[in-house]
Amino acid sequence: MERPSYYITTPIYYVNAAPHLGTAYCTVMADVQARFRRSAGFDVLFLTGLDEHGEKVAQAAAEHGMTPQQWCDSLVGDFTDLWKRLDITNDDFIRTTEDRQTVSVQHLWDELLANGSIYKGTYDGWYCQPEETYFTDTQVRQANEQKSTSVDVNHREIAKAAKRAPEDAPLCPDCGRPLKRVQEESWFFKLSDYQEPLLELYREHPHFVEPEIRRNEVVSFVEGGLKDLSISRTSFDWGIPLPFDEKHVTYVWFDALINYITAVGYGVETPEAKAEFARRWPAQVHIVGKDIIRFHCVIWPAMLMAAGLEVPEEVFAHGFLMVKDDGGADVKMSKSLGNAISPDTVCELLGVDGFRYYFMTDVRPGTDSSVSWGRMEQVYDADLANSWGNLCSRALNMSAKYFDGKTPELPRGWAEEANPLRAIVEGDGREGLYERYAAAMGSFAYDEAAAAVMELVHEANHYIEASEPWTLAKDPARAGELAQVIGSVLESIRVTAHLLMPFMPRTSTEVLSRLSLAEEAETTDLAAACAWGGLTGGAPVAKGAPLFPRLAQKKG
Ligand code: ME8
């Protein structure tokens, strides 16, 4: 049977600086979902990449004395190497300077020209270069009347220091940084035609924008009315030229969004490319930060509708990682604000798996979260070192001690015997652990999924205490009971390793291989792999080194 396609994407990141914690956060979130879906039998295509055009990238290049292309080439490795270090399993990596993107963007231009979705005019309004976003006079006036001053001062200082903005420039309604006045000939996309079709989309497909708070934001934005969108620039040339008007280059967002269809063959007229497009499009989910939902939930579906293409099934918008500014207020961590923390710094403390586990399970995707070293250490100690790591080390040690370094020879019918661990895995009156976990994972409630798994880990630690294997081991008449206890704990460890695999692939692979079950790590039937009773008796068990060394030891 053909496996269902699951196409998942991250934003393509600007190449204006090296990647930071926020960028990594989004990419790991997508990786966790991609890994989960692969193990649940989907044919996954996981795409990430770089947004290399636009004024912001051109400016960063100029500041470093390079051409834009040289600048992008010099930074690509910072992204791809980081993704390798963080065990990201993207299947494709797209750069908007690749030929395939030019082919696809120009194809869309031709389609939109042919069907009357675009026209030529003059743009006269405001532009936020750090956000690469246009604003009308009204939007700017309203936002500047309402804005609180503390954030503005912060951004204005940064902008002044960078000598980018005149003293009296109005501030960006989104990020608070100074705007530029832009007046130039431009091609426009008839976005104003899509107010009703978009509202209908949000009504008919309530999961198109997740979580709900973002859907409400998008709906009220669209209800407020849509203006046609300027989609080409003439005042600089770092972009994809229009096929029919070479003086113009494509507005960076109009270019960037198209990457999602480029990667699955849009614009290529071969039968193979068409088949791939039909199989992969529409995407199941675009994961984005909440800063870019208007582009993904308003402009992008309108562009697709204009081109006669289907819209993606879902856009999931996560929240921001925040850091404290000098005044103690939480501000977004960002490349352009220069307050970014490197993911490697966190990995040095927690290890790659600890990093992935902490950010995916302690921060609810969808909400903002202040980055706190104290909290990272707390979660690492409580969940990983003291619970999951400790459980593995106790159970593996007892297998070494009582069963000669093997899993116990399991008594007949051991898996049918009632015990609190089997009850958690099988549900015992409520949904089974896999079902609860899969429902939470599928809706990006990673914190809930991990909490469900941690119940099993905690219960297994209690079960060891309560059944006292060290006492059972002293009485040869109770050998069957001892085998039952250690077997059930090892079985819980096996199931836990599977369920934590998307978050901590290194540790889970290691645990399965210590149980002589390395081949299970590649399962594509997670539900079956998590069914109680999969452990085989008499298999060699390796004690190994502690999975999560204590932080104090590591730091020392
Ligand atoms: O917007 N916390 O690129 P970008 C959490 N090129 N996530 C964060 C974050 C933070 N503090 N800072 C950034 C662009 N992100 C466009 C995208 S897509 C067709 C084009 C993450 O480099 C978050 O996912 O500014 C955000 O949406 C993304 O990085 C923006 O990356």
Side-chain angles (χ1 to χ4, degrees):
M1 201 181 72
E2 206 186 331
R3 290 177 299 142
S5 171
Y6 188 84
Y7 179 25
I8 177 169
T9 67
T10 71
I12 49 170
Y13 304 107
Y14 287 127
V15 198
N16 58 331
H20 64 80
L21 214 51
T23 331
Y25 173 71
C26 179
T27 310
V28 173
M29 189 177 296
D31 186 63
V32 167
Q33 191 66 218
R35 285 175 179 271
F36 163 63
R37 298 284 173 168
R38 282 189 203 105
S39 70
F42 288 85
D43 175 10
V44 171
L45 174 64
F46 170 18
L47 175 72
T48 186
L50 294 178
D51 190 354
E52 302 192 348
H53 289 130
E55 220 177 328
K56 168 158 152 166
V57 172
Q59 175 165 346
E63 281 165 9
H64 289 82
M66 293 187 208
T67 66
Q69 190 64 63
Q70 284 168 337
W71 166 251
C72 294
D73 292 347
S74 77
L75 275 176
V76 152
D78 285 2
F79 286 84
T80 49
D81 292 350
L82 177 64
W83 302 153
K84 281 198 196 102
R85 289 200 294 285
L86 297 180
D87 295 330
I88 303 299
T89 55
N90 56 299
D91 300 290
D92 193 358
F93 186 90
I94 190 164
R95 301 177 56 184
T96 51
T97 50
E98 288 173 283
D99 289 345
R100 59 176 170 165
Q101 175 75 354
T102 305
V103 168
S104 159
V105 170
Q106 294 192 333
H107 186 86
L108 190 78
W109 274 114
D110 285 334
E111 291 277 312
L112 298 185
L113 181 70
N115 71 22
S117 299
I118 56 174
Y119 61 92
K120 200 162 166 172
T122 305
Y123 180 75
D124 184 1
W126 297 99
Y127 194 71
C128 174
Q129 195 229 12
E131 302 280 315
E132 301 275 23
T133 308
Y134 295 101
F135 293 99
T136 62
D137 285 320
T138 321
Q139 287 170 318
V140 171
R141 192 167 1 90
Q142 282 170 355
N144 279 263
E145 278 162 11
Q146 286 163 8
K147 265 209 176 296
S148 77
T149 50
S150 62
V151 174
D152 303 349
V153 170
N154 185 6
H155 288 108
R156 191 185 281 284
E157 287 309 311
I158 290 165
K160 266 198 332 216
K163 294 193 179 43
R164 275 182 209 163
E167 190 61 36
D168 56 351
L171 303 175
C172 169
D174 284 354
C175 73
R177 279 169 284 191
L179 293 165
K180 238 168 58 167
R181 188 79 194 175
V182 174
Q183 247 173 336
E184 59 187 321
E185 180 186 281
S186 178
W187 283 83
F188 285 82
F189 170 56
K190 292 184 183 166
L191 185 61
S192 58
D193 284 355
Y194 292 89
Q195 181 175 16
E196 203 27 58
L198 286 169
L199 290 173
E200 191 184 326
L201 166 69
Y202 312 139
R203 263 194 314 270
E204 303 286 310
H205 300 276
H207 296 296
F208 177 71
V209 189
E210 288 284 353
E212 197 180 350
I213 180 174
R214 303 293 161 227
R215 179 165 60 251
N216 296 341
E217 247 175 71
V218 167
V219 169
S220 57
F221 175 78
V222 174
E223 280 172 348
L226 294 174
K227 288 208 149 33
D228 289 349
L229 178 72
S230 163
I231 51 170
S232 75
R233 306 286 309 267
T234 49
S235 51
F236 69 102
D237 63 2
W238 183 233
I240 297 181
L242 273 56
F244 44 81
D245 197 351
E246 295 243 324
K247 183 164 80 147
H248 290 249
V249 293
T250 311
Y251 164 48
V252 61
W253 269 104
F254 208 77
D255 168 353
L257 289 161
I258 296 170
N259 93 87
Y260 301 130
I261 49 176
T262 303
V264 291
Y266 180 73
V268 182
E269 299 292 332
T270 62
E272 295 76 24
K274 284 176 182 286
E276 171 72 353
F277 190 76
R279 192 167 76 88
R280 289 296 189 186
W281 193 259
Q284 275 53 54
V285 63
H286 295 316
I287 299 186
V288 300
K290 66 177 187 180
D291 49 336
I292 53 178
I293 50 173
R294 261 183 243 163
F295 298 101
H296 284 83
C297 304
V298 180
I299 297 174
W300 180 226
M303 286 166 68
L304 290 165
M305 287 176 193
L309 299 173
E310 283 182 79
V311 302
E313 287 177 15
E314 178 181 341
V315 177
F316 182 86
H318 65 76
F320 289 152
L321 299 184
M322 316 287 277
V323 281
K324 300 263 178 242
D325 69 4
D326 293 343
D330 278 331
V331 290
K332 180 190 171 200
M333 185 186 301
S334 107
K335 289 177 277 199
S336 20
L337 290 182
N339 60 7
I341 298 174
S342 146
D344 290 307
T345 314
V346 182
C347 289
E348 271 165 37
L349 179 68
L350 305 182
V352 171
D353 277 8
F355 169 90
R356 292 174 58 110
Y357 180 83
Y358 171 74
F359 281 105
M360 291 303 112
T361 64
D362 199 52
V363 179
R364 165 158 272 228
T367 60
D368 290 347
S369 172
S370 200
V371 173
S372 143
W373 294 97
R375 179 72 191 149
M376 278 183 216
E377 294 189 8
Q378 207 182 352
V379 170
Y380 179 95
D381 284 340
D383 285 10
L384 302 185
N386 297 340
S387 299
W388 172 224
N390 188 34
L391 175 67
C392 292
S393 118
R394 290 169 101 186
L396 297 174
N397 275 317
M398 287 192 281
S399 304
K401 195 162 163 191
Y402 305 136
F403 297 100
D404 202 17
K406 298 205 174 80
T407 53
E409 289 299 344
L410 296 160
R412 186 182 292 282
W414 74 278
E416 274 77 59
E417 202 155 294
N419 73 44
L421 306 182
R422 180 180 160 210
I424 291 184
V425 172
E426 294 191 338
D428 207 19
R430 59 173 176 167
E431 276 191 308
L433 179 58
Y434 174 77
E435 285 71 29
R436 287 197 290 143
Y437 164 92
M441 291 296 281
S443 56
F444 293 93
Y446 292 166
D447 54 338
E448 274 174 32
V453 182
M454 278 298 151
E455 265 178 54
L456 178 62
V457 170
H458 295 316
E459 190 56 47
N461 273 319
H462 291 152
Y463 180 69
I464 294 177
E465 295 302 326
S467 37
E468 297 187 15
W470 41 91
T471 310
L472 300 177
K474 288 187 190 135
D475 182 354
R478 303 182 79 183
E481 252 181 275
L482 179 64
Q484 170 71 32
V485 168
I486 302 296
S488 298
V489 172
L490 291 176
E491 175 62 355
S492 303
I493 289 178
R494 189 187 70 78
V495 172
T496 302
H498 275 297
L499 296 177
L500 291 181
M501 182 74 84
F503 300 109
M504 298 190 287
R506 292 186 192 191
T507 316
S508 285
T509 306
E510 170 66 18
V511 168
L512 289 175
S513 78
R514 286 186 192 181
L515 294 173
S516 297
L517 296 170
E519 76 288 353
E520 277 195 20
E522 300 295 318
T523 185
T524 53
D525 188 352
L526 188 58
C530 292
W532 185 257
L535 192 74
T536 43
V541 165
K543 280 201 296 187
L547 295 169
F548 301 101
R550 299 215 176 270
L551 293 178
Q553 279 171 324
K554 275 178 88 174
K555 275 199 242 162

